[in-house]
Amino acid sequence: MKNRVTGIGGIFFKSEDPDAAKAWYKKHLALDTDNYGCTFWWKDKKGNDCSTQWSPMDKETSYFEPSKKQFMMNFRVENLDELLETLKAEGVTVVGEPESYDYGKFGWILDAEGNKIELWEPVDKVFLK
């Protein structure tokens, strides 16, 4: 398998007040925030449009489970299904079943310290409409 991770897909973290956090970052760091946080646009080596998402989430979210951490990283990947099979064969814990949406496929694993990692095979063009 040639490529596994191709970039950072997102940084998600628990927040006491996600709306206040988004407002603070908008005011002080000029992040262009929306309901989900802020999307950063960039181009990969081939010149394709790509995105990275920054999102404060409610402190009570269960989305990071089974990890007890305050954050979750999302990595952009190529061929999610093949990567998940490879990771399983390498003894990596896969969490749940992959999910597909119009903006990409998602899968989850746990790293060596129990951090939940989200793997995303993106369809960036959905966001460019």
Side-chain angles (χ1 to χ4, degrees):
M1 171 160 223
K2 184 179 176 185
N3 289 324
R4 292 187 184 207
V5 170
T6 61
I8 302 272
I11 304 293
F12 307 98
F13 61 96
K14 293 182 180 182
S15 172
E16 295 289 326
D17 185 341
D19 289 333
K22 288 181 274 190
W24 188 93
Y25 279 85
K26 184 173 192 155
K27 178 180 178 180
H28 298 290
L29 297 179
L31 295 188
D32 186 16
T33 59
D34 59 20
N35 289 339
Y36 302 102
C38 180
T39 304
F40 294 91
W41 288 97
W42 49 279
K43 296 211 182 268
D44 67 12
K45 289 180 183 179
K46 298 175 187 171
N48 298 309
D49 290 317
C50 299
S51 64
T52 297
Q53 183 67 34
W54 170 90
S55 294
M57 300 177 80
D58 187 270
K59 68 179 179 178
E60 301 299 329
T61 187
S62 61
Y63 195 65
F64 303 170
E65 292 179 2
S67 176
K68 300 297 181 203
K69 302 292 175 110
Q70 298 296 312
F71 66 92
M72 183 178 70
M73 294 177 286
N74 168 300
F75 291 106
R76 299 169 60 90
V77 301
E78 291 182 356
N79 197 335
L80 176 67
D81 296 330
E82 181 181 341
L83 177 56
L84 288 174
E85 289 303 316
T86 299
L87 293 171
K88 279 183 198 175
E90 293 173 350
V92 174
T93 299
V94 175
V95 178
E97 294 296 322
E99 296 179 14
S100 293
Y101 301 90
D102 61 340
Y103 48 90
K105 293 164 126 181
F106 294 85
W108 301 269
I109 61 171
L110 295 179
D111 73 8
E113 293 188 7
N115 297 306
K116 187 175 181 184
I117 305 297
E118 186 170 65
L119 304 174
W120 175 38
E121 182 181 327
V123 178
D124 291 298
K125 65 183 178 185
V126 171
F127 301 111
L128 296 170
K129 293 178 181 179

